[in-house]
Amino acid sequence: MRIDGKCNTRSRMSFYTGIGIHQLMPDGTLGPEREINGYPDGAKINFVTWSLDGKHLAFSIRFDEEDNSSSKLRVWVANVETGQARPLFQSPNVYLNAVFDTFVWVDNSTLLVCAIPSSRGDLPKKPLVPSGPKIQSNEQKNVIQVRTFQDLLKDEYDEDLFDYYATSQLVLASLDGTTKEIGNPAVYTSLDPSPDQKYLLVSSIHRPYSFTVPCGRFPKKVEVWTTDGKFVREICDLPLAEDIPIAISSVRKGMRNINWRADKPSTLYWAETQDGGDAKVEVSPRDIIYTQPAEPLEGEQPEILHKLDLRYGGISWCDDSLALVYESWYKTRRTRTWVISPGSKDVSPRVLFDRSSEDVYSDPGSPMLRRTPAGTYVIAKIKKENDEGTYILLNGSGATSEGNIPFLDLFDINAGSKERIWESDKEKYYETVVSLMSDYEEGDLLLDRLKLLTSKESKTENAQYYIQKWPEKKVCQITNFPHPYPQLASLQKEMIKYQRNDGVQLTATLYLPPGYDPSKDGPLPCLFWSYPGEFKSKDAAGQVRGSPNEFAGIGPTSALLWLARRFAILSGPTIPIIGEGDKEANDRYVEQLVASAEAAVEEVIRRGVAHPSKIAVGGHSYGAFMTANLLAHAPHLFCCGIARSGAYNRTLTPFGFQNEDRTLWEATGTYVEMSPFMSANKIKKPILLIHGEEDNNSGTLTMQSDRFFNALKGHGALCRLVILPFESHGYAARESILHVLWETDRWLQKHCVPNSSDASAELDACKDEVSKGVTDSDNQAVVAGGGGGPELADFEHEGFYSLPRSLL
């Protein structure tokens, strides 16, 4: 985490500029907007939350001050009926501490707020002279392997700073203006009221801190308090966790995922590992789920709810007769869903679904949840008329070989049978079920009174929201958002399929500029933008993900912006790195990477939309790593590359990276072969490196781009390095985003669209043909006449050199 000391918040917080409320009318339409007012103009709004009864909103505001920094945050509340907002605290000196948790509604009229302690004092001063050397020791010979974490505490002064900013005083504040401090100041990380509003589940972290691992692994204490601040009991006090193994699916020892049961007034549940948290240890069971009341009777021990052989992944609660328990194992991609009856020990748990997480075609969907009066969410039980069966709704993405076709199934939990009661349009639109809207009625929901919130979009129409009612399934549109970028409203989008040389089916989304016709306009310069992924099976790797009918979302630095420069964009061509059975995917990384890229490039050339010598490759993070590797190992495919915020030397991430959980010493050859840094001498095509100066992502420290650039420069490569001040792994400042666009555009115009020297050579060739009066049968154009010097010079002046040769 990074802290903005001026505001006492996480750094790089986005914000809202206003809040509008619409009443959902009985006929399914939205009423007129009621704007929240009363707060100062120019306020930046965050953390907007409803009270449980929906009559009030709470949110924080801050302002830009004269020195262009933001003020500290204050908590405001608004009356939903009148739209009038006011400060929660009468005193102007109570500020929100937004480093960890912020505030939570305890009941309909009371908030529990993490405030900056009034007794905090001045910022700790850094000693002019260190008290001594920085010492880390492993004299106990413990095996401690950690990923390449950024932003770790470095010394005692950092520890003092962390305590200063992260320590909160909890304050109970009522809407009538009364306040009460509860508990002692501490580094509180989460506050969670029980569904019956009688208890608080309070988590905090404390010293000793670590210079080796992030704050999420610091010693953690979890306690139960009453909602008026009285200590009830300690649930656990977990020690510092520096020794969590790097193997994927490894976890912290002791109690974890401690939560309230959503269907009970005040019952806790949690998981405990039986393998010491080490995924490489074979043991059965691997995880045990326990449950216990907030205030157990004397001597009452936690009750075992369920035992799992894979890693625990959560529970969807319904009632004492039904809950769904999830478990999974990354190494095999196996995932299972269990049906349990929490209140009936004589009912044996049974497996409901047992499948591969990679097999999206077999995904049955997730249960739809309904909101309870206590504000929790439980599985919605559905009743059919004259039917005593137990039904739930499964909301699925509907992956098929033709793309995603989302669905809603009525599922008989006992018989295992299902009935499709809703499905997205598949010809033109992409529709999804967003939320259940008929959950304000208590008891099981009647199928004939079902009401859903859905969204609908197409390739060229941005998403709008709809209310859909049963039994007639009447649809009512409730939003009318304008098109976010009308200049590209008529862009062309197609999901294309092709094969890799080993038979794996691949897909990509091909975007073409508005009005482009390949038969008339010829091939375009093309930008190939992607990100590799790991798979355990060829079949799963070849499955289609996404929909051809989804709206083309364009972010601040999206590759799709270059449609406005008349580029073809090959977005997200699948690059599966497959390791079947006991084989490790990355042992054949380069081979499979190159084969995937070759197949994609061949397809766009075959279609006549991309010029073979004008295809650029780019990516962000692991996509930047991909870009550098392709320029090193497949230089015949691309004319240049753009690599943003990547890692290029895997020896600098020796204890694993991405989904590789072997160490450098266990897989030395793989680490070296995968590192484009080791192949810097092979990179002959132009490469643009962009990196945030303060990249905090694990593994992609800014030094990666610095050293890679020096390696390239040392071999005479055509390269450019752009370091963005203050930026992290993603880029946030307007100046940074615009500069990234300028650098990228300059690079593509210079190295992908032919430059003036290339144009001169092509024009010289044209002049030769003109002087001979040659018929160019390949381009189906007759070049005739003599001389022609002035006209050709005019073409060059007007920028015609960037057009396809056939148009010249």
Side-chain angles (χ1 to χ4, degrees):
M1 61 159 42
R2 288 180 172 176
I3 297 170
D4 181 339
K6 181 76 173 177
C7 305
N8 221 101
T9 66
R10 301 278 183 108
S11 69
R12 296 161 57 91
M13 279 207 321
S14 58
F15 55 91
Y16 300 109
T17 56
I19 305 171
I21 297 174
H22 295 262
Q23 184 75 29
L24 184 61
M25 309 306 286
D27 63 357
T29 61
L30 282 188
E33 179 180 293
R34 184 182 306 127
E35 190 171 351
I36 299 297
N37 56 68
Y39 53 83
D41 291 341
K44 297 177 177 179
I45 300 169
N46 289 97
F47 310 119
V48 182
T49 57
W50 293 91
S51 63
L52 298 179
D53 60 6
K55 294 182 179 179
H56 290 87
L57 285 175
F59 53 93
S60 72
I61 66 168
R62 56 192 163 112
F63 315 94
D64 282 333
E65 298 191 328
E66 291 181 3
D67 61 354
N68 287 327
S69 64
S70 289
S71 64
K72 290 186 175 68
L73 280 67
R74 298 189 65 196
V75 182
W76 282 56
V77 291
N79 184 300
V80 170
E81 186 175 350
T82 66
Q84 191 63 34
R86 60 177 176 82
L88 175 65
F89 295 99
Q90 295 177 358
S91 168
N93 299 317
V94 181
Y95 296 106
L96 182 66
N97 188 338
V99 171
F100 283 105
D101 212 345
T102 51
F103 53 82
V104 64
W105 288 93
V106 174
D107 56 40
N108 289 324
S109 61
T110 309
L111 288 122
L112 180 61
V113 180
C114 289
I116 297 174
S118 56
S119 59
R120 182 166 76 169
D122 295 331
L123 186 71
K125 292 184 178 179
K126 187 169 186 174
L128 294 176
V129 179
S131 59
K134 299 176 184 177
I135 299 173
Q136 297 188 53
S137 173
N138 190 34
E139 295 175 52
Q140 294 80 25
K141 298 183 179 181
N142 295 324
V143 177
I144 298 175
Q145 300 178 346
V146 293
R147 292 278 179 121
T148 313
F149 295 120
Q150 309 281 72
D151 289 351
L152 300 175
L153 298 179
K154 296 182 290 294
D155 51 32
E156 293 177 0
Y157 175 66
D158 270 5
E159 292 182 311
D160 292 341
L161 273 183
F162 178 67
D163 274 340
Y164 179 83
Y165 287 120
T167 297
S168 296
Q169 172 64 60
L170 300 185
V171 181
L172 280 171
S174 295
L175 297 181
D176 62 10
T178 59
T179 62
K180 174 187 175 184
E181 293 186 353
I182 62 173
N184 296 318
V187 182
Y188 295 107
T189 56
S190 70
L191 313 170
D192 189 10
S194 61
D196 63 3
Q197 304 172 5
K198 292 182 179 179
Y199 299 97
L200 294 170
L201 188 63
V202 180
S203 300
S204 61
I205 57 178
H206 59 82
R207 297 194 185 215
Y209 297 148
S210 171
F211 302 152
T212 306
V213 294
C215 60
R217 299 189 183 185
F218 289 176
K220 177 181 180 181
K221 185 181 291 185
V222 182
E223 298 172 332
V224 174
W225 299 0
T226 61
T227 46
D228 60 357
K230 294 176 183 175
F231 175 82
V232 175
R233 67 183 178 113
E234 181 181 287
I235 302 297
C236 64
D237 190 353
L238 303 174
L240 178 65
E242 288 186 326
D243 59 348
I244 299 176
I246 61 172
I248 299 175
S249 300
S250 293
V251 295
R252 189 175 191 158
K253 298 173 186 174
M255 299 169 70
R256 68 183 200 279
N257 301 106
I258 307 168
N259 289 295
W260 297 110
R261 268 186 66 168
D263 61 329
K264 289 289 183 181
S266 53
T267 299
L268 292 165
Y269 71 99
W270 65 89
E272 289 188 38
T273 178
Q274 306 301 300
D275 56 12
D278 189 347
K280 292 185 176 179
V281 173
E282 294 296 333
V283 65
S284 179
R286 192 173 287 278
D287 272 337
I288 296 179
I289 306 166
Y290 294 93
T291 183
Q292 193 176 41
E295 286 193 79
L297 301 173
E298 186 175 349
E300 184 181 359
Q301 295 300 308
E303 181 181 326
I304 294 177
L305 182 69
H306 192 47
K307 296 180 180 181
L308 300 168
D309 284 336
L310 309 181
R311 189 63 78 205
Y312 168 69
I315 300 179
S316 294
W317 298 97
C318 184
D319 52 31
D320 271 338
S321 68
L322 175 63
L324 300 182
V325 182
Y326 309 103
E327 63 173 340
S328 63
W329 197 246
Y330 176 77
K331 206 70 175 174
T332 60
R333 309 299 199 272
R334 188 180 185 187
T335 178
R336 286 195 296 201
T337 302
W338 291 81
V339 178
I340 64 170
S341 297
S344 305
K345 292 183 180 180
D346 55 337
V347 178
S348 298
R350 59 186 176 86
V351 175
L352 185 64
F353 305 121
D354 188 348
R355 46 182 291 275
S356 168
S357 59
E358 290 184 336
D359 181 11
V360 292
Y361 291 173
S362 70
D363 188 349
S366 302
M368 292 213 71
L369 306 180
R370 61 176 293 174
R371 189 177 185 274
T372 68
T376 62
Y377 285 83
V378 299
I379 297 173
K381 274 189 176 178
I382 307 296
K383 263 192 175 179
K384 290 175 71 175
E385 196 171 344
N386 302 320
D387 190 330
E388 296 301 316
T390 302
Y391 296 95
I392 65 173
L393 296 171
L394 292 180
N395 184 12
S397 59
T400 73
S401 59
E402 302 305 314
N404 288 1
I405 305 171
F407 64 83
L408 193 64
D409 281 347
L410 186 67
F411 184 73
D412 188 325
I413 201 78
N414 295 318
S417 58
K418 58 187 177 183
E419 173 191 349
R420 187 139 301 177
I421 62 171
W422 177 90
E423 188 173 71
S424 168
D425 175 272
K426 62 186 78 169
E427 300 303 322
K428 180 181 177 183
Y429 291 101
Y430 176 73
E431 301 171 282
T432 61
V433 174
V434 179
S435 182
L436 196 58
M437 299 295 285
S438 48
D439 56 355
Y440 52 84
E441 298 177 359
E442 297 212 21
D444 293 352
L445 304 180
L446 294 174
L447 179 61
D448 284 347
R449 297 183 64 182
L450 203 60
K451 186 161 69 171
L452 302 173
L453 179 68
T454 63
S455 72
K456 181 179 181 180
E457 63 194 82
S458 73
K459 297 176 185 179
T460 55
E461 299 169 58
N462 50 307
Q464 305 293 351
Y465 290 89
Y466 298 78
I467 294 292
Q468 192 162 151
K469 294 181 178 180
W470 267 250
E472 66 276 7
K473 298 187 181 179
K474 179 185 174 184
V475 177
C476 183
Q477 183 173 338
I478 61 172
T479 62
N480 190 25
F481 301 126
H483 197 290
Y485 17 87
Q487 302 93 329
L488 295 175
S490 57
L491 61 80
Q492 303 174 56
K493 175 185 176 183
E494 182 184 359
M495 180 180 282
I496 63 174
K497 301 178 185 178
Y498 48 97
Q499 261 195 2
R500 202 163 72 178
N501 57 16
D502 59 358
V504 176
Q505 182 78 26
L506 303 178
T507 58
T509 305
L510 176 63
Y511 293 91
L512 298 170
Y516 168 73
D517 183 344
S519 63
K520 295 179 181 178
D521 303 333
L524 299 173
C526 177
L527 179 55
F528 173 114
W529 198 271
S530 192
Y531 193 98
E534 295 83 9
F535 292 87
K536 289 303 293 180
S537 79
K538 288 184 177 181
D539 288 343
Q543 291 182 353
V544 177
R545 290 161 173 82
S547 167
N549 295 327
E550 285 180 90
F551 181 69
I554 302 179
T557 56
S558 169
L560 300 190
L561 289 168
W562 273 267
L563 289 167
R565 286 280 196 246
R566 305 294 289 176
F567 269 68
I569 310 296
L570 194 64
S571 177
T574 49
I575 301 184
I577 311 300
I578 304 165
E580 294 190 300
D582 295 332
K583 294 178 181 177
E584 295 287 348
N586 283 337
D587 288 347
R588 293 177 54 232
Y589 173 85
V590 171
E591 173 194 339
Q592 296 188 67
L593 175 71
V594 171
S596 299
E598 282 179 337
V601 167
E602 287 170 6
E603 179 63 17
V604 290
I605 292 173
R606 184 191 69 79
R607 287 170 170 261
V609 298
H611 194 293
S613 62
K614 301 175 187 176
I615 301 176
V617 60
H620 188 94
S621 193
Y622 208 51
F625 176 71
M626 168 207 77
T627 297
N629 264 309
L630 285 173
L631 292 185
H633 302 292
H636 59 290
L637 297 178
F638 303 105
C639 62
C640 66
I642 299 133
R644 300 194 319 221
S645 299
Y648 309 103
N649 183 352
R650 285 303 165 198
T651 68
L652 296 177
T653 55
F655 290 107
F657 57 89
Q658 201 71 4
N659 291 315
E660 177 59 69
D661 59 5
R662 296 171 296 173
T663 70
L664 168 64
W665 298 273
E666 292 171 325
T668 306
T670 297
Y671 272 66
V672 171
E673 185 184 2
M674 287 183 71
S675 297
F677 180 86
M678 304 301 180
S679 300
N681 59 318
K682 298 179 181 177
I683 296 180
K684 307 300 181 186
K685 295 295 178 70
I687 182 168
L688 172 64
L689 304 173
I690 302 175
H691 218 119
E693 189 175 31
E694 306 292 341
D695 193 326
N696 64 347
N697 185 53
S698 176
T700 57
L701 55 167
T702 310
M703 176 179 65
Q704 289 271 9
S705 284
D706 283 329
R707 293 190 175 179
F708 188 41
F709 175 72
N710 287 330
L712 292 166
K713 192 169 61 171
H715 290 90
L718 199 169
C719 53
R720 181 177 174 88
L721 172 63
V722 179
I723 301 294
L724 302 170
F726 306 112
E727 293 293 357
S728 184
H729 192 57
Y731 317 135
R734 178 182 287 113
E735 296 89 340
S736 298
I737 289 168
L738 291 176
H739 192 82
V740 167
L741 297 180
W742 181 85
E743 289 281 359
T744 306
D745 194 48
R746 172 186 176 274
W747 203 253
L748 291 174
Q749 295 296 327
K750 188 173 183 180
H751 301 294
C752 194
V753 175
N755 61 29
S756 57
S757 60
D758 295 334
S760 297
E762 190 156 68
L763 287 169
D764 285 341
C766 281
K767 290 175 184 176
D768 290 341
E769 292 177 351
V770 167
S771 63
K772 297 173 184 175
V774 174
T775 299
D776 185 344
S777 59
D778 289 339
N779 287 329
Q780 297 298 304
V782 177
V783 185
E791 289 80 9
L792 287 172
D794 287 344
F795 286 169
E796 186 172 4
H797 175 73
E798 294 294 333
F800 276 68
Y801 60 82
S802 66
L803 294 173
R805 175 69 181 275
S806 57
L807 293 187
L808 273 178

